[in-house]
Structures are given as structure tokens and as C-alpha cells.
Amino acid sequence: MEEVGTFLETRKKLNQPTSMGEIQKRYQDKPYGWKQIDIAAVVARLLVGHQIELKYGGQKISPTDRKIVDYLRNPKDVDKVQVSRRIAVSEDLKRKSVKFLRDYLNRQDVPETEQELVDFTIEQLELLKNHYQDLLNNEYRANIYPDKELVEEADELLSEILSRKNDNDALLSILIKKQDDLLDSQEDLEVVEDFFKSQKSVFDNARKYLLDLNREKDYFFDNDQMKQLMDGINSILKMDHPYNQIKKLPELVQEAKGEYSKLLNEKLDNLEAQIDRGISEIETKMQEMKGPNSSVSEGLSFLKQKKEAVKKNETLTQMDAAVTQVSNLVNNTLATIQRVIEAQNKTKTPPIKPVKPYVPPKKVEHIYRGVLCPAKTVTSEEDVNNYVENIRKELLRLLSNNDGVKIE
């Protein structure tokens, strides 16, 4: 084994490449006369002892490679396998590497022998790189979070160092060369790591709630308190480094929810009053009927059920939709009552004595202000004119089929 090691060391000093085929030929010939299998065994022992390196197609061969026997003995492979003496890493470089890794990883169990140190370094750096890749591929790809560029830079730095992992000396040398960059990156990323551990859920909840509010922002055009709270939440979410301000988000979100609840309750009160008026008007009108009618009874029953159902509405949009539904239900039920009354009057037995001609009541269409004049933000004279023109057209349309329009 010493003979082969010395031969390879001489070839390395002369900068002469050596193939496994050359080694087999040299030591099978005189004066050595070794067997092929014995030569392969010697080279294998040198490889396991990390005294030499094998490369096939430019790629480093591991002692545990499943084709290692072919690389050392197969005539088709041995001439393609390059064998070189590996120069041991200097004690000074190993000492510096161990000291740095203890500080960088905050661990005292850093191996001190060369190969164990190299294997440990590769393992720990690859773990870090996988962690940064996970953040980039899962967290940052799905959402916009702060300091993505810092994670990308850390990932690139580790890739540069790990690109030397097939050469022990080169790996530890670049590790020491880049130690300041690694420490700076680690310090910069402390806030990022804390963010994903303890602040991400708060950040996500605030962003989701703000998105919900923005879908209904037209309701807040004249609400300075709500606009101020939304601006406060948005400003923190858009900060490049929001970490010290994220603690303010829960309070801002809670205040916004309180303001939203006030608006929701106001709409609920108005809607319940609208339903009560509708029920009263229907019941009064029903007194003109002669006997019950299933369609009218169903409409009235549904309206009473609606009063309970609207209490479960959670958004302003749902409340406005309910206003339209209630208005349509009341108008349709009143129209049904009127048709029933007219039908009943037509079948009335004629009086024996002459009576005054029957004058049907005027047909008046009922419409609520919330339906005729929906909530809308206007920002120009043209918007005002269009808004008023739409109201005028709707009133004219209703008058075309009725004697009058009652706006409630």
C-alpha cells in the first residue's frame, strides 16, 4: 500500500495524471507481478483511508459506490478512472475550520479529523441550504413576505461553498474565505427566522382581513376611522422590514373589526325596521281580502323568517343583498294581494239597487330608497349626473305601468 501511495504522490508532484489501468499494468508487470485483485484491494484501502481520490468522467467516486469493483478491475472501466494522491488538509486550515463552525453553528461537537470534519461541514451546510430552499419554494413562492432577497443571497452563498465539496482542501479553504459573509448572512436572517416561527400567522391574518375589507371599500368612503385603520394595517404589511411593527397588527385588526361591527349593526337595524314595515303593510292590506290566500300567507311567513335569517349575515354586502330581497318580497306580496282583491271584486254579486260605478284604487308601486338609490361613491360631476339619471329612468319605468310610485 505504501508503494502505491508513494508512486501516486510522485506522479502528483510531476502533475501527471494516472489511470487505474496504468496502475494495474504497472504492478502486474515485473518486477512486482501482483494479481489484479490484490492491486484493486490496495487501491480500495487507500481510498477508504482517504489517501487517494478516484474520478470517473470528472466526478468523484465514493468508497461506497455500488460500481467501485468495476472501476478498480473491469477492463472496460479502468482506463477511464483517474487516480490521484490526495494532499492532506493543513492542520492550520482544519483548526480554523473547526473554530469557525463552532461559532457559526453554535455547536461544540465539531469533528477535528479531516474527513469527519469535511463530511460534517457538507452535512450542516446542505441542511441550511435545504432550509432556505424550502422557504423560497414554499413560503415566498406562495405569498409576498419581507426580505426574500436575503434568503436568496444566503442560498447562493451556500451553493458557492458546496460547489467545492469534492475537494477537501478547496471546501475548507472557501469556508474560511467566506466566513465573514456567512456570519453576516446569519445575523441578517435572524429576524427572518423569527418571523416564520412566531410572526407569520399574525402577518397572514392581518393581510387576509385587509383583503376582505378592500372588497367592500365603497362602504367606507366617508368613514375616516375605518380608512385610517386600513391604511395603518397596509403600511405595516408593505414595509421592507416590518418585524418591529408586526406586534401592532392585532390591535389594529381588532379596532377595524369593532368599527366594521358598528356598520354591520346599523345596517341590521335598518333592515329589521324595513322588514317590520313590510310585515305591517302586508297585514293591513290583507284585511281587504275576503278569506286567506296561500301565496300571500307564504310570502308573509317567508318575510318573518327573513327577519331571523338576516341576523346571521356577516358582511355589509350580504346586508345590502338582503335589503333588495326584502324589498322585492314585500312588493311582490302586496301585488299578489291586490290581484286577489281585484279578482274577488269581479266575482261579487251585483246589487239589486243601482250603485255608483266601481272605481278601482290607484295602482301604486312601492320601492325602498335603498333599492332606488343604492350606495355608491361619486367623484365627479359626470358621476353625479349618471347617478341621478339612473334614478330618473327607474322612476319613469315604474310609472309607465302604475298610477304612482311610493318611495319609502
Side-chain angles (χ1 to χ4, degrees):
M1 193 165 74
E2 182 179 351
E3 162 61 31
V4 176
T6 302
F7 168 68
L8 290 172
E9 187 170 346
T10 301
R11 298 277 288 193
K12 186 174 183 67
K13 289 179 180 179
L14 296 174
N15 200 27
Q16 294 178 341
T18 307
S19 70
M20 187 62 199
E22 290 178 286
I23 295 175
Q24 284 284 8
K25 185 175 185 306
R26 172 183 172 86
Y27 291 105
Q28 286 182 42
D29 290 347
K30 293 180 180 180
Y32 302 101
W34 296 354
K35 295 180 180 180
Q36 181 206 51
I37 190 173
D38 294 331
I39 299 170
V42 169
V43 174
R45 290 177 64 189
L46 290 171
L47 179 64
V48 172
H50 304 293
Q51 298 180 48
I52 63 171
E53 289 180 346
L54 301 185
K55 289 185 178 181
Y56 185 88
Q59 296 297 314
K60 186 176 178 181
I61 300 172
S62 168
T64 59
D65 193 298
R66 61 185 180 85
K67 294 183 64 178
I68 190 66
V69 174
D70 290 337
Y71 293 142
L72 298 180
R73 299 185 60 187
N74 193 325
K76 295 180 179 180
D77 292 321
V78 291
D79 288 331
K80 301 175 184 178
V81 176
Q82 295 296 312
V83 185
S84 61
R85 182 74 172 181
R86 191 174 64 78
I87 305 301
V89 174
S90 70
E91 290 299 321
D92 182 59
L93 180 56
K94 285 193 292 185
R95 185 172 59 255
K96 289 179 179 178
S97 300
V98 170
K99 182 178 182 302
F100 167 70
L101 288 171
R102 285 174 177 169
D103 293 338
Y104 180 62
L105 300 174
N106 192 27
R107 292 179 59 169
Q108 295 303 311
D109 59 340
V110 180
E112 297 184 7
T113 59
E114 178 182 332
Q115 195 56 44
E116 289 181 342
L117 174 61
V118 169
D119 292 341
F120 177 83
T121 300
I122 294 172
E123 178 187 15
Q124 296 303 313
L125 295 187
E126 285 183 340
L127 284 174
L128 270 178
K129 180 174 172 57
N130 290 338
H131 171 59
Y132 295 145
Q133 281 288 311
D134 182 65
L135 290 179
L136 292 171
N137 293 333
N138 296 315
E139 302 292 358
Y140 284 106
R141 181 172 293 178
N143 291 293
I144 298 176
Y145 292 120
D147 285 325
K148 177 181 179 181
E149 66 281 357
L150 291 180
V151 181
E152 291 175 331
E153 290 170 3
D155 179 64
E156 292 172 1
L157 177 59
L158 291 174
S159 294
E160 181 183 0
I161 295 172
L162 287 168
S163 67
R164 311 295 207 285
K165 68 180 181 181
N166 289 333
D167 186 318
N168 292 358
D169 188 75
L171 175 67
L172 297 182
S173 293
I174 194 172
L175 179 73
I176 296 305
K177 180 180 178 181
K178 298 290 184 178
Q179 62 179 327
D180 289 340
D181 293 337
L182 287 168
L183 291 171
D184 289 343
S185 174
Q186 184 184 60
E187 183 178 357
D188 291 341
L189 287 172
E190 284 180 1
V191 289
V192 176
E193 298 289 358
D194 288 340
F195 171 82
F196 284 107
K197 287 178 182 177
S198 60
Q199 295 182 316
K200 176 178 174 289
S201 60
V202 175
F203 192 89
D204 286 345
N205 290 338
R207 177 161 53 192
K208 181 182 182 302
Y209 188 64
L210 183 62
L211 183 62
D212 292 340
L213 292 179
N214 279 323
R215 292 192 184 102
E216 298 187 306
K217 62 182 179 181
D218 284 347
Y219 291 105
F220 316 130
F221 75 96
D222 59 349
N223 189 317
D224 293 336
Q225 175 69 7
M226 181 62 89
K227 288 193 290 186
Q228 183 178 351
L229 290 169
M230 291 173 67
D231 289 342
I233 295 172
N234 189 51
S235 65
I236 294 175
L237 295 178
K238 287 190 172 181
M239 286 181 178
D240 292 334
H241 311 289
Y243 310 107
N244 292 331
Q245 299 298 313
I246 289 177
K247 60 187 177 184
K248 297 179 180 179
L249 286 175
E251 182 178 353
L252 288 172
V253 168
Q254 196 59 40
E255 289 182 23
K257 286 183 177 180
E259 189 64 25
Y260 188 91
S261 181
K262 291 179 184 178
L263 297 174
L264 196 64
N265 288 333
E266 288 176 6
K267 280 194 173 289
L268 178 60
D269 291 342
N270 292 334
L271 182 54
E272 288 179 329
Q274 176 189 352
I275 294 173
D276 287 338
R277 288 194 302 270
I279 292 173
S280 177
E281 189 170 356
I282 290 171
E283 290 177 339
T284 300
K285 190 70 174 176
M286 286 174 66
Q287 295 176 8
E288 301 178 25
M289 295 170 49
K290 294 179 174 60
N293 178 275
S294 60
S295 296
V296 173
S297 298
E298 287 177 4
L300 182 59
S301 176
F302 187 77
L303 189 60
K304 291 178 179 179
Q305 294 173 12
K306 193 71 174 175
K307 186 174 181 179
E308 293 302 316
V310 296
K311 295 177 181 178
K312 299 179 181 179
N313 289 348
E314 297 180 349
T315 68
L316 298 172
T317 302
Q318 289 175 334
M319 286 297 185
D320 269 1
V323 168
T324 302
Q325 293 167 3
V326 168
S327 179
N328 290 338
L329 179 59
V330 170
N331 290 335
N332 291 338
T333 304
L334 289 172
T336 300
I337 295 173
Q338 184 61 37
R339 287 193 298 271
V340 170
I341 293 172
E342 290 175 356
Q344 290 174 344
N345 289 336
K346 287 180 181 179
T347 60
K348 184 176 181 181
T349 303
I352 298 174
K353 294 181 180 181
V355 295
K356 293 180 181 180
Y358 171 73
V359 179
K362 289 186 178 182
K363 185 179 179 182
V364 177
E365 179 73 15
H366 294 255
I367 187 168
Y368 285 88
R369 285 191 298 274
V371 178
L372 181 63
C373 308
K376 182 176 179 65
T377 302
V378 293
T379 58
S380 66
E381 182 178 350
E382 182 181 358
D383 288 348
V384 173
N385 291 336
N386 289 337
Y387 187 79
V388 174
E389 178 63 19
N390 288 335
I391 296 173
R392 188 184 71 83
K393 288 180 179 179
E394 179 63 13
L395 288 174
L396 290 176
R397 184 187 68 79
L398 294 172
L399 281 173
S400 66
N401 296 317
N402 299 280
D403 298 313
V405 178
K406 182 177 181 181
I407 303 173
E408 300 181 348

